[in-house]
Amino acid sequence: MTDNIVKIRGLNKTFIRKTLITRHVEYIYAARNVNLDIPRDSFYGLVGETGSGKTTLGKLILRLIEPDSGSIIFDGIDVTRLSQREIRRIRPMFQVIFQNPQSALNPKQRVKQLIGNPIRFQKKLDSKSVEKEVFRLLDEVQLSAEMAEYFPHQLSGGQIQRVEIARALGLKPKLLVADEPVTSLDASIRGHILNLLLQLKKNREFTVLFIGHDLHIMEKMCDILSVMYKGEIVESGSVKQIFNAPTHKYTKKLVSMRYISD
Amino acid sequence: MSELLRIEDFSFSYRHRNTTISILKKLDILIFPGEVVGLVGESGSGKSTLAKAILRIPDFKYEVSYKGSIYLNGNDLMQLNDTQLDRIRGNEISIIFQDPLSYLNPMFTIHRQIKEVLKHHEIANGIVADEMIRRCLLNVSFNYPDRIMRSYPFELSGGMRQRIMICMAMITRPKLLIADEVTSSLDALIEKEILDNINRLCSDYGTSVLLISHNLPTILKYANRIAIIYFGHIVEIVHVNNAQKGARHPYTKALFSCALAKVKDGVFPFIEGSIPKPHDVIVGCPFHLRNCPRAIDACRTTLPEMESYDEGSFRCHNPYPVEG
């Protein structure tokens, strides 16, 4: 038996959309009977095209949205049964970095507040040790100490994503959900962020759920991969297995699309 | 050699708060008939500006100035007035943008929208036009053109809208198609479908394509030649077969290894630093600021001239040697 940090059983989530004029009701199945096991300390990849429900699944695990049915067991605790008050207490254990950090960070706060405030609230430290922690984190994500005084709009896309990583890791999470962290970045900077994630993963103990659609990157980053299609997990397995012997029709198509560089 | 489009010594700048910010700096590009030229660069390097500047599409907020010339079959587009240019836009040179929804009129049906193009350029009218539209929609892989013709843009998906844009651009059988990041907002599977459509139609009609993208793998697949743009300069033009091994400019090499995620010892390649802002003033080669591995003293003081060899050209003081 391997130790799973996240165990998802029979998870369902449906969005209802009413069209504007005809009031026709549309059902969007974002998660359909999802079963997922994420082993502890793994680098878990989740692939799928737009609208396949990968971001929704990420948000469900973080309980940013409520599922219709099913259970999510995070480190032995059923997250779906907790009240909002209880969930707040365990939130530091799962953190998230979003695709568009510019909109995820408060534009009125400086970098030191953005990284320091979560630590101050959750860990109840005095301001001096918070500050020390902020500088340590900035160093860890390879940003210079003077950036602590900057506002988000003064930073470039790559820098701001590193601030986001520092903010998430400041709370020492057990699970980090990385929702398309490099999609909005240029190819030349993307490598920097990916290396940083890999390096941090090596130095600290945490699990990463990496959501993305670029198979090229996923292949090299992840240990285990799940493929999502129309709200269902159609295939899971080790990266090798998925790329060498895809079984589902959709996965086969996806793998064949991959650009062969050599 | 009879080239279709010749961009010669072309510069573009705008004035903002009494300072002149130059976006494109002395570009030289040739596009031959029936050829697909890829234009690659990071965001903010001037790719889309070039696309719009070729047709002088006036969606700039500031006072702009153009220098140099763009020849289409020997006629300088920069010398034409608006009425004359209007005959070129959408007729001889068509353009497709990234976000089709903002370029389609939400109040018009697809049929009326495409017919407008035919009417405007006095190509066809009435039933003849309808039949042309139907055939063109079939050409961009719509199985039921009549249903599509009746629908409004909001009823269609992103990939379908983009195919409508292709249909609109190609129905006049233009000589040049400018495809500005046409698939950036679409999925990999739909991206392939769209680009295959463009590719097929263009080779049928003999249309040249200026394919603009930040996604190098796509460019490598569809283009014949690739132009790499950095900070408003064309740093290298290289033939696609030669692109990965025979690139001479260090930026091209670096960009290729980043875009194709060639992992070495578990480390992803990346380029140090960040992209310069348009208003930055850089002395010398702009790439030396990003830890160019082959930077020499001359790079810090003077901008290298464009050097040509038989399969391309590059702008570098200390290029990579030709691999034998």
Side-chain angles (χ1 to χ4, degrees), chain B residues 14 31 61 68 93 122 159 180 202 227 263 302:
Chain B
Y14 67 82
I31 300 177
K61 280 177 253 167
I93 303 179
E122 292 164 2
D180 184 7
C202 288
V263 178
T302 45

Side-chain angles (χ1 to χ4, degrees), chain A residues 103-116:
Chain A
S103 64
L105 297 176
N106 188 342
K108 284 186 160 183
Q109 287 187 352
R110 291 177 194 276
V111 167
K112 62 176 183 192
Q113 292 166 301
L114 288 166
I115 302 177

Side-chain angles (χ1 to χ4, degrees), chain B residues 9-265:
Chain B
D9 208 13
F10 183 72
S11 305
F12 173 86
S13 58
Y14 67 82
R15 287 183 68 75
H16 174 54
R17 288 183 192 159
N18 291 331
T19 50
T20 308
I21 298 168
S22 58
I23 307 291
L24 302 174
K25 293 146 198 158
K26 301 202 170 209
L27 305 189
D28 287 293
I29 306 175
L30 294 180
I31 300 177
F32 294 101
E35 187 189 35
V36 181
V37 175
L39 184 65
V40 206
E42 293 171 82
S43 49
S45 56
K47 306 187 293 293
S48 293
T49 309
L50 177 62
K52 286 174 180 162
I54 290 175
L55 286 173
R56 262 192 282 154
I57 295 176
D59 79 349
F60 301 105
K61 280 177 253 167
Y62 311 105
E63 191 188 328
V64 297
S65 71
Y66 301 89
K67 262 187 218 125
S69 29
I70 297 176
Y71 296 99
L72 178 74
N73 279 335
N75 301 325
D76 192 350
L77 296 181
M78 288 297 128
Q79 304 297 335
L80 301 181
N81 63 24
D82 260 6
T83 350
Q84 288 166 321
L85 196 63
D86 199 42
R87 245 168 268 152
I88 307 259
R89 286 184 194 138
N91 192 11
E92 291 188 53
I93 303 179
S94 288
I95 185 163
I96 311 176
F97 296 101
Q98 179 180 354
D99 174 24
L101 198 57
S102 55
Y103 293 93
L104 290 170
N105 191 332
M107 306 295 282
F108 283 12
T109 58
I110 300 301
H111 171 235
R112 194 170 156 194
Q113 254 171 92
I114 304 177
K115 204 164 174 179
E116 189 95 4
V117 180
L118 293 171
K119 273 187 189 165
H120 184 83
H121 294 297
E122 292 164 2
I123 291 170
N125 217 332
I127 306 170
V128 186
D130 292 349
E131 189 49 40
M132 271 179 87
I133 296 168
R134 197 167 292 126
R135 214 170 313 141
C136 196
L137 284 172
L138 280 169
N139 264 338
V140 288
S141 333
F142 282 114
N143 291 329
Y144 305 100
D146 289 290
R147 208 186 71 201
I148 299 295
M149 276 159 76
R150 278 198 303 273
S151 42
Y152 286 89
F154 76 91
E155 293 175 278
L156 306 173
S157 71
M160 285 162 104
R161 282 178 206 145
Q162 203 55 281
R163 278 188 286 160
I164 298 288
M165 291 299 282
I166 297 171
C167 178
M168 246 162 106
M170 295 302 290
I171 200 161
T172 55
R173 303 205 172 203
K175 297 196 179 95
L176 175 70
L177 175 75
I178 302 170
D180 184 7
E181 302 263 9
V182 281
T183 53
S184 302
S185 54
L186 301 170
D187 282 315
L189 291 175
I190 300 159
E191 175 178 17
K192 187 177 180 297
E193 191 187 318
I194 298 282
L195 288 169
D196 283 347
N197 262 316
I198 292 183
N199 210 19
R200 203 193 57 244
L201 274 175
C202 288
S203 58
D204 283 359
Y205 295 170
T207 304
S208 307
V209 186
L210 180 64
L211 187 64
I212 301 175
S213 178
H214 65 267
N215 190 354
L216 243 163
T218 2
I219 295 271
L220 278 173
K221 206 165 151 197
Y222 292 94
N224 302 118
R225 284 190 304 143
I226 304 175
I228 291 103
I229 186 168
Y230 181 70
F231 191 56
H233 295 284
I234 296 282
V235 295
E236 180 155 17
I237 297 177
V238 62
H239 199 273
V240 72
N241 300 332
N242 204 13
Q244 288 190 55
K245 291 220 170 82
R248 307 288 302 276
H249 199 284
Y251 178 65
T252 316
K253 283 250 180 200
L255 197 65
F256 272 67
S257 57
C258 287
L260 303 174
K262 287 183 178 160
V263 178
K264 217 182 227 175
D265 309 324

Side-chain angles (χ1 to χ4, degrees), chain A residues 182-195:
Chain A
V182 293
T183 310
S184 60
L185 299 178
D186 266 308
S188 62
I189 306 160
R190 206 189 290 159
H192 215 132
I193 301 292
L194 294 174
N195 288 337

